[in-house]
Amino acid sequence: MRAPVWIYICAVILIASGIILPESLAAMQSSYSSVGHYLSELGAVGAPYAALINLFGFLPVVVTSVILLLFIVARRLSDRRGRIGAVLVMFGLSAGYGIAVMFPCDLGCPIEGSARQAVHNLAGLVQYPMGAVGLILMGVSLRRSHQSLGWLCLFSGVAMGVGFVMMMAPDQAGYRGLWQRLGDYSAFISVIVTAIFARRADTETGPTVLS
């Protein structure tokens, strides 16, 4: 069962808006570091390219990730555990990136700040635990029929969980952007690859690497 063309289109948009655009804008700002700064700081109030990243970066991430994950739920996962996992990832990414658009952080994305910053921070507390658990559930489900995809999702879930913990660690403040990207970007890749290659377990005759 091959993925339809529109899934590939969504995958390209997700990579372009979620990875290529943020890193391109980061490279254009000498005061910004992808290693040390949050992704949200690109869209912070007063940031030079805030409107661009919010409208053409974060917002398309929400739309395309929802489409891809709904497709995974409906057409790619056959057991309840995997479907619940995909829904958790969908809500996690939607909360994190959607609220980043509606409630952009203050400059520097401080722990304490305006009421808008408090809402923004709350979104992160929802996105990462929910996304990590969801990816792990997807991985456990997929390992029975797609070993490579299962391990990929498990790795992404662990990466998102570890990234979240390390972002909160005071001694990792200089690497918080790197930890965030580890979780977010690996989640994007897992969602894309699963949407394209996974087949429902009830159509498989045995474990496969990539189908």
Side-chain angles (χ1 to χ4, degrees):
M1 181 170 57
R2 293 182 178 276
V5 173
W6 55 271
I7 288 297
Y8 290 91
I9 294 173
C10 286
V12 171
I13 294 173
L14 179 54
I15 292 173
S17 61
I19 300 177
I20 296 175
L21 180 60
E23 296 311 313
S24 298
L25 295 179
M28 294 167 60
Q29 302 177 59
S30 58
S31 60
Y32 182 93
S33 166
S34 294
V35 172
H37 295 91
Y38 291 123
L39 286 163
S40 296
E41 294 183 57
L42 292 169
V45 175
Y49 302 103
L52 180 61
I53 191 65
N54 285 326
L55 293 178
F56 297 100
F58 300 156
L59 186 57
V61 165
V62 175
V63 175
T64 54
S65 62
V66 167
I67 292 172
L68 290 169
L69 284 158
L70 285 176
F71 179 73
I72 289 171
V73 170
R75 300 284 299 278
R76 291 303 196 245
L77 297 174
S78 61
D79 74 347
R80 180 184 300 178
R81 178 169 48 192
R83 291 194 295 268
I84 290 173
V87 169
L88 288 176
V89 177
M90 181 179 69
F91 279 110
L93 290 176
S94 297
Y97 282 83
I99 291 179
V101 175
M102 295 183 291
F103 298 92
C105 66
D106 300 336
L107 279 174
C109 286
I111 296 177
E112 296 181 358
S114 65
R116 179 186 59 246
Q117 178 68 50
V119 175
H120 186 94
N121 290 345
L122 180 61
L125 296 177
V126 172
Q127 175 187 349
Y128 291 97
M130 189 174 288
V133 171
L135 285 164
I136 290 171
L137 288 175
M138 286 176 60
V140 171
S141 173
L142 285 165
R143 279 190 61 201
R144 293 182 298 175
S145 56
H146 302 78
Q147 292 180 0
S148 295
L149 290 179
W151 283 115
L152 177 62
C153 289
L154 284 171
F155 168 81
S156 297
V158 172
M160 183 165 274
V162 170
F164 176 63
V165 172
M166 298 303 284
M167 279 189 286
M168 300 297 101
D171 62 341
Q172 293 295 309
Y175 301 97
R176 60 192 185 185
L178 183 63
W179 288 115
Q180 183 184 35
R181 285 163 170 80
L182 173 65
D184 286 28
Y185 292 175
S186 62
F188 296 161
I189 297 301
S190 290
V191 169
I192 289 169
V193 174
T194 301
I196 291 174
F197 290 105
R199 294 169 59 186
R200 285 179 65 95
D202 55 17
T203 67
E204 295 288 340
T205 58
T208 60
V209 177
L210 284 178
S211 303

